[in-house]
Amino acid sequence: MPRAGLSPDAVVDVALDLVDEGGAGALTLAAVAGRAGVATPSLYKHVRNLTELRALVSIRIMDEISDRAGEAVLGRSGDDALRALMKAYRSYVVDHPGRYSAMMQEADPGVVESGRRRIEAGQRLVDIMLAALRAYGLEGGEAIHAARSLRSAAHGFAVLEAAGGFGLPEKLDESYELLIHMVISGLRTPR
Amino acid sequence: MPRAGLSPDAVVDVALDLVDEGGAGALTLAAVAGRAGVATPSLYKHVRNLTELRALVSIRIMDEISDRAGEAVLGRSGDDALRALMKAYRSYVVDHPGRYSAMMQEADPGVVESGRRRIEAGQRLVDIMLAALRAYGLEGGEAIHAARSLRSAAHGFAVLEAAGGFGLPEKLDESYELLIHMVISGLRTPR
DNA sequence: GCTGAAAAGCTAATGGAGTTAGCCGACCTC
DNA sequence: GAGGTCGGCTAACTCCATTAGCTTTTCAGC
């Protein structure tokens, strides 16, 4: 009986495939094991339990989003950077709606633990947002408020789109353009 | 053996209590039955299955949010109405974070059905938003884009807050004020 | 190359959740 | 008061996560 050659990363790879195909609900240990060609209990050699696997999946997804966002922002600043960041964010959801919904469900309050690595992954995205906001010259706390608002806008649209919460799929680009415009003009307009 | 006097509505009442106390993950048929003083299979006399119960819970929650939003908008218009609407929306999440997260998880793509009633509940909130936007004199499609953006902003902030996605709980009010400002100034500023 | 320990797999077994089938008593209507 | 419907129950099944304990592969070091 040759070994399957699994690893924590390989298990997450399989989990991502499942989530791509069937949404967050399709992620079960039994399904992962089946696809990996292994008996279910074998997964416990690589992952502590289902909760940890979900956390690892979320971390991977957040990292992927941060990668896209970071790349989009490179070489840009101001409105241009912000617009590119938000578009990159949404593009991830359009490409991988199942993954985005899987990242959601994990963020259930009550599952507060999940470790440092998870917080780091979120922080990285926040840092990218703060960098994109740098050109606006926000003072201390104002930058935090701006990053939170930016995140809320991008995330809110993403959740609704990933869940099919908008009626017609058409014209979603235009709706998103307005949302981007709101963020930018809100930063440009004094309160 | 006297009857428990259950009904679909009563089952949803119990489900909401569980969700208030333990988040979305606490909603199981076994828990509902236990709290209602009934054996688990008895619930199937009132509800088709767990999926339907989740849908009913989501509908109830959306209705509650719409009630608050509708009341907040009464007698107001323009920026005043928009601000009141967004604040009312967030106040629901602050009061019932568990309920809000329960509404989320149900919106998994793949569970597309859930029936007409669910769509109606969402439409009602959209109508309230459209009414609040009336004073801005938006033409046709523009109103839809505005409502979507408004919804994305409020929903995104709500999700993050309900999931504990923001670091410090302090100053969240200020962050939300900025988000409201973005929405309003985005509507006031020509593109 | 041999040996032995660690890593990675397996089977068996447990417990909890959802769901179905089929039974029976309570309640209401006539 | 009789009969039917409705709401509850128990028993049984499936699927899933998880644990325990065993076996086999792999590989480092002699």
Side-chain angles (χ1 to χ4, degrees):
Chain A
M1 214 168 294
R3 292 204 182 173
L6 282 184
S7 68
D9 269 356
V11 172
V12 172
D13 287 342
V14 175
L16 287 174
D17 282 348
L18 288 170
V19 148
D20 279 338
E21 294 167 21
L27 176 52
T28 68
L29 290 179
V32 171
R35 172 120 8 159
V38 130
T40 307
S42 303
L43 296 177
Y44 288 82
K45 298 288 173 165
H46 306 282
V47 150
R48 186 145 31 112
N49 50 35
L50 177 61
T51 302
E52 190 192 56
L53 176 56
R54 289 213 187 100
L56 292 175
V57 165
S58 291
I59 289 167
R60 178 81 75 84
I61 293 169
M62 275 194 277
D63 279 343
E64 288 180 349
I65 294 174
S66 296
D67 287 347
R68 278 205 194 196
E71 191 186 356
V73 162
L74 274 185
R76 300 178 198 266
S77 75
D79 297 353
D80 193 31
L82 223 54
R83 182 180 303 278
L85 170 51
M86 286 194 67
K87 286 194 172 188
Y89 196 97
R90 177 172 174 236
S91 78
Y92 185 85
V93 187
V94 171
D95 291 347
H96 306 290
R99 293 190 189 194
Y100 204 83
S101 75
M103 195 186 65
M104 295 292 70
Q105 72 154 28
E106 201 255 339
D108 197 309
V111 186
V112 188
E113 43 120 12
S114 305
R116 181 176 318 122
R117 187 66 192 73
R118 161 92 178 300
I119 293 169
E120 282 174 20
Q123 188 58 45
R124 197 175 140 227
L125 182 57
V126 171
D127 287 344
I128 291 169
M129 289 183 172
L130 287 172
L133 289 165
R134 199 164 290 148
Y136 294 89
L138 302 167
E139 303 279 334
E142 282 306 307
I144 301 291
H145 298 314
R148 283 175 175 169
S149 297
L150 175 56
R151 201 171 148 209
S152 296
H155 182 63
F157 197 94
V159 172
L160 289 170
E161 183 163 13
F166 296 123
L168 325 170
E170 295 130 30
K171 306 285 192 75
L172 275 180
D173 288 359
E174 277 186 46
S175 298
Y176 199 62
E177 285 296 332
L178 175 58
L179 185 61
I180 293 173
H181 169 70
M182 284 176 173
V183 171
I184 291 176
S185 71
L187 290 172
R188 292 268 176 232
T189 310
R191 277 198 270 174
Chain B
M1 214 170 295
R3 293 202 181 175
L6 282 184
S7 67
D9 270 354
V11 172
V12 171
D13 287 342
V14 174
L16 287 174
D17 282 348
L18 287 171
V19 149
D20 279 338
E21 293 166 22
L27 177 51
T28 69
L29 289 179
V32 171
R35 173 125 0 165
V38 130
T40 307
S42 302
L43 296 177
Y44 287 81
K45 298 287 174 162
H46 305 283
V47 151
R48 187 147 29 112
N49 50 34
L50 177 59
T51 302
E52 189 190 58
L53 176 56
R54 288 212 188 100
L56 292 175
V57 165
S58 290
I59 289 166
R60 178 81 76 81
I61 293 169
M62 276 193 277
D63 279 343
E64 288 179 348
I65 294 174
S66 296
D67 287 346
R68 279 206 195 195
E71 190 186 357
V73 162
L74 274 186
R76 301 178 200 267
S77 74
D79 297 354
D80 193 32
L82 224 52
R83 181 179 304 277
L85 170 50
M86 286 195 68
K87 287 196 171 189
Y89 196 97
R90 177 171 174 236
S91 78
Y92 185 84
V93 187
V94 171
D95 291 348
H96 305 291
R99 293 191 189 195
Y100 205 83
S101 74
M103 195 184 65
M104 295 294 70
Q105 72 154 27
E106 200 257 338
D108 197 310
V111 185
V112 188
E113 42 120 13
S114 306
R116 181 176 317 123
R117 186 66 191 76
R118 160 94 177 298
I119 294 169
E120 281 174 20
Q123 188 58 46
R124 199 176 137 226
L125 182 57
V126 170
D127 287 344
I128 291 169
M129 289 182 171
L130 287 172
L133 289 165
R134 199 164 290 148
Y136 294 88
L138 302 167
E139 302 279 331
E142 283 305 307
I144 301 290
H145 298 313
R148 284 175 174 168
S149 297
L150 175 56
R151 202 172 148 208
S152 296
H155 181 63
F157 197 94
V159 172
L160 290 170
E161 182 163 13
F166 295 123
L168 325 169
E170 297 129 30
K171 307 284 193 71
L172 275 180
D173 288 1
E174 276 186 45
S175 297
Y176 200 62
E177 285 296 333
L178 175 57
L179 185 61
I180 293 173
H181 169 71
M182 285 175 172
V183 172
I184 291 176
S185 72
L187 290 173
R188 293 268 177 231
T189 309
R191 277 197 272 175

